[in-house]
């Protein structure tokens, strides 16, 4: 799986202008089974998205369609879960 960390590079007012489109984008890829979890960082200077395992070029294509590309940069970390709590065992196979 991948952990995608977004960091805002523009004032929060510009981020807010794109929020509705970003949420629609998130919903699209949750429905497609690509995203596992997401949310804002604290303090609110970006966000985190957990994705299923996929080809890195496919992930880059997904991320390139995010409206937040205009206001954020992305750090991508590939992650192979080896231990989880029982309710999250499925993460080891995603």
């Amino acid at each position: 799986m991948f952990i995608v960390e977004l960091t805002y590079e523009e004032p929060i007012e510009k981020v807010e202008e794109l929020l509705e489109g970003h949420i629609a984008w998130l919903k699209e890829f949750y429905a497609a089974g690509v995203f596992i979890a997401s949310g804002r960082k604290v303090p609110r200077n970006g966000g985190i998205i957990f994705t299923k395992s996929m080809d890195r070029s496919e992930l880059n294509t997904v991320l390139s369609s995010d409206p937040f590309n205009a206001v954020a940069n992305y750090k991508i970390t590939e992650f192979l879960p080896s231990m989880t709590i029982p309710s999250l065992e499925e993460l080891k196979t995603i």
Side-chain angles (χ1 to χ4, degrees):
M1 68 188 293
F2 290 96
I3 300 170
V4 179
E5 179 180 4
L6 288 75
T7 302
Y8 301 144
E9 297 294 323
E10 297 289 339
I12 197 67
E13 295 79 23
K14 288 190 177 188
V15 172
E16 288 288 341
E17 291 173 8
L18 300 171
L19 187 57
E20 186 176 319
H22 175 71
I23 291 171
W25 174 81
L26 287 168
K27 288 179 179 180
E28 174 186 349
F29 287 101
Y30 271 107
V34 173
F35 294 160
I36 298 165
S38 61
R40 293 176 176 170
K41 295 192 300 187
V42 178
R44 188 177 175 198
N45 61 2
I48 301 288
I49 303 170
F50 290 177
T51 76
K52 71 174 190 172
S53 183
M54 65 181 77
D55 183 76
R56 177 66 183 260
S57 65
E58 181 182 355
L59 176 62
N60 290 341
T61 299
V62 168
L63 296 177
S64 71
S65 65
D66 181 7
F68 273 9
N69 271 298
V71 295
N73 68 38
Y74 300 75
K75 177 183 174 191
I76 301 168
T77 303
E78 190 166 8
F79 173 64
L80 299 171
S82 57
M83 295 180 72
T84 66
I85 61 173
S87 61
L88 296 177
E89 282 289 315
E90 184 181 350
L91 288 179
K92 293 191 283 187
T93 62
I94 291 180

